[in-house]
């Protein structure tokens, strides 16, 4: 008889109501895979997209949601030699194939990549089977909740700030929509690099929280003209880097806010993916537009190390039990959160 486990899974794409918390078959680790008992997982906006639409992501229903997760290795599949049963791990959020991209160290670009919760069953479950190489060990004093926040939002922000944005202490950086998980993480990493940051939000409370986390200047975009304020703050020079995760509503401002040779790093388009390109501005000002979706193994190792060394602490707005994932998604959809929303899959492990 097939063993089952608890899981939060989609049976349709009609919204959050399509998500069921029930029983699904427990996976078995294949060759080169480990079975991980999930302690904590993290909510992401892609969970909402999957619930509301899911088009463009190859998948079959039912599918267990949850890109991010951390836990304990329960069992090893054949051929595993690097990990051990009982080891505490955080999950790199993508299976991958052996192709030109992985050979050069860009696992997230592999032709064969498969993302938990998007293409394959994810982390909103008691167990998940993943390739051994995707199980990254974590120190005993890094909590599972904090570790589970790292794979998507924090890894994306790490790559955006360090690799793509190449943010330095002398730089001005504009971050739109501070308060979300990735934008909050980007602010934390810019602060680590002692860059000068300008952040926007429609919430005074979120702006106040951003100042506590190192924001140099804040702009309430409901009450102030963002571009005019950026020009005033930088003495009309403009910023060196824009962290863009809003899309159509802010794209024009992002391009105009950049100084010559500036870098626009984009990893989201919540208000629409097709803004006017403004190509003349791009080539006349010699702007760089760089897309980011998570990072590679090396960046993930560096990020986990930084978290273990307490160089930053992931910002967690609230923790919900697995049985209340739908309520957590509704809160995420409302946009009220600051930072990340975690799921305590196994509260006993989460502490």
């Amino acid at each position: 008889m097939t063993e089952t486990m608890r899981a939060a899974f989609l049976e349709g794409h009609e919204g959050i109501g399509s998500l069921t918390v029930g029983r699904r078959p427990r996976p078995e680790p294949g060759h080169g895979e480990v079975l991980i008992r999930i302690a904590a997982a993290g909510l992401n906006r892609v969970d909402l997209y999957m619930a509301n639409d899911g088009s463009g992501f190859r998948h079959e229903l039912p599918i267990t949601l949850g890109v991010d997760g951390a836990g304990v290795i329960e069992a090893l599949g054949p051929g595993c030699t690097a990990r051990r049963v009982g080891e505490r791990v955080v999950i790199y959020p993508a299976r991958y194939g052996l192709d030109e991209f992985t050979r050069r160290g860009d696992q997230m670009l592999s032709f064969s990549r498969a993302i938990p919760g998007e293409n394959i069953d994810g982390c909103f479950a008691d167990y998940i089977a993943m390739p051994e190489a995707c199980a990254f060990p974590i120190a005993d004093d890094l909590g599972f909740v904090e570790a589970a926040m790292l794979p998507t939002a924090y890894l994306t922000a790490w790559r955006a700030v360090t690799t793509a944005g190449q943010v330095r202490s002398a730089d001005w950086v504009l971050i739109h929509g501070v308060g979300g998980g990735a934008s909050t993480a980007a602010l934390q990493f810019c602060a680590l690099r002692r860059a000068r940051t300008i952040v926007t939000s429609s919430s005074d409370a979120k702006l106040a929280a951003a100042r506590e986390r190192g924001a140099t200047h804040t702009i309430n975009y409901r009450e102030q003209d963002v571009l005019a304020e950026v020009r005033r703050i930088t003495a009309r020079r403009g910023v060196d880097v824009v962290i863009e995760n809003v899309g159509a509503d802010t794209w024009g401002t992002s391009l105009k806010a950049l100084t010559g040779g500036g870098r626009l790093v984009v990893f989201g388009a919540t208000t629409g993916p097709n803004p006017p390109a403004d190509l003349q501005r791009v080539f006349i000002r010699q702007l760089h537009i760089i897309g980011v979706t998570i990072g590679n193994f090396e960046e993930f190792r560096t990020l986990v190390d930084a978290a273990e060394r307490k160089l930053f602490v992931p910002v967690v707005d609230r923790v919900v039990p697995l049985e209340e994932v739908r309520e957590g998604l509704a809160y995420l959809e409302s946009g009220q959160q600051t930072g990340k929303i975690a799921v305590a899959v196994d509260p006993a492990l989460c502490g």
Side-chain angles (χ1 to χ4, degrees), residues 180-202:
S183 58
T184 297
L187 170 60
Q188 290 179 279
F189 298 148
C190 286
L192 275 178
R193 296 193 159 211
R194 295 182 171 83
R196 296 169 290 181
T197 50
I198 305 169
V199 303
T200 76
S201 175
S202 62

Side-chain angles (χ1 to χ4, degrees), residues 143-279:
F144 284 121
V145 168
E146 288 74 19
M149 303 301 98
L150 300 179
T152 300
Y154 274 81
L155 181 54
T156 296
W158 187 269
R159 184 176 179 90
V161 170
T162 64
T163 306
Q166 298 181 23
V167 172
R168 302 163 298 179
S169 60
D171 286 340
W172 281 103
V173 183
L174 171 63
I175 304 173
H176 291 293
V178 75
S183 58
T184 297
L187 170 60
Q188 290 179 279
F189 298 148
C190 286
L192 275 178
R193 296 193 159 211
R194 295 182 171 83
R196 296 169 290 181
T197 50
I198 305 169
V199 303
T200 76
S201 175
S202 62
S203 165
D204 288 334
K206 291 184 179 183
L207 293 175
R211 286 191 292 272
E212 293 177 0
R213 296 187 178 101
T216 314
H217 297 273
T218 59
I219 301 171
N220 187 318
Y221 65 78
R222 296 289 187 198
E223 301 172 358
Q224 299 168 285
D225 184 298
V226 173
L227 184 58
E229 283 297 297
V230 168
R231 288 174 172 167
R232 180 188 65 80
I233 292 166
T234 63
R236 300 195 63 81
R237 175 187 179 275
V239 298
D240 301 278
V241 180
V242 175
I243 303 297
E244 170 65 80
N245 67 338
V246 177
D249 285 358
T250 55
W251 187 260
T253 296
S254 295
L255 290 175
K256 292 174 183 176
L258 283 167
T259 192
R263 304 173 295 283
L264 196 165
V265 184
V266 56
F267 54 75
T270 55
T271 62
N274 297 304
D278 198 0
L279 291 179

Side-chain angles (χ1 to χ4, degrees), residues 299-313:
E299 289 161 325
F300 197 39
R301 289 190 189 95
T302 305
L303 173 66
V304 171
D305 176 71
E308 290 176 335
R309 292 164 59 196
K310 311 302 181 186
L311 297 182
F312 71 95
V313 177

Side-chain angles (χ1 to χ4, degrees), residues 34-50:
V34 295
L35 182 69
I36 300 168
R37 179 185 175 189
I38 298 293
L43 296 182
N44 291 286
R45 296 203 72 85
V46 72
D47 300 316
L48 291 171
Y49 178 75
M50 289 295 293

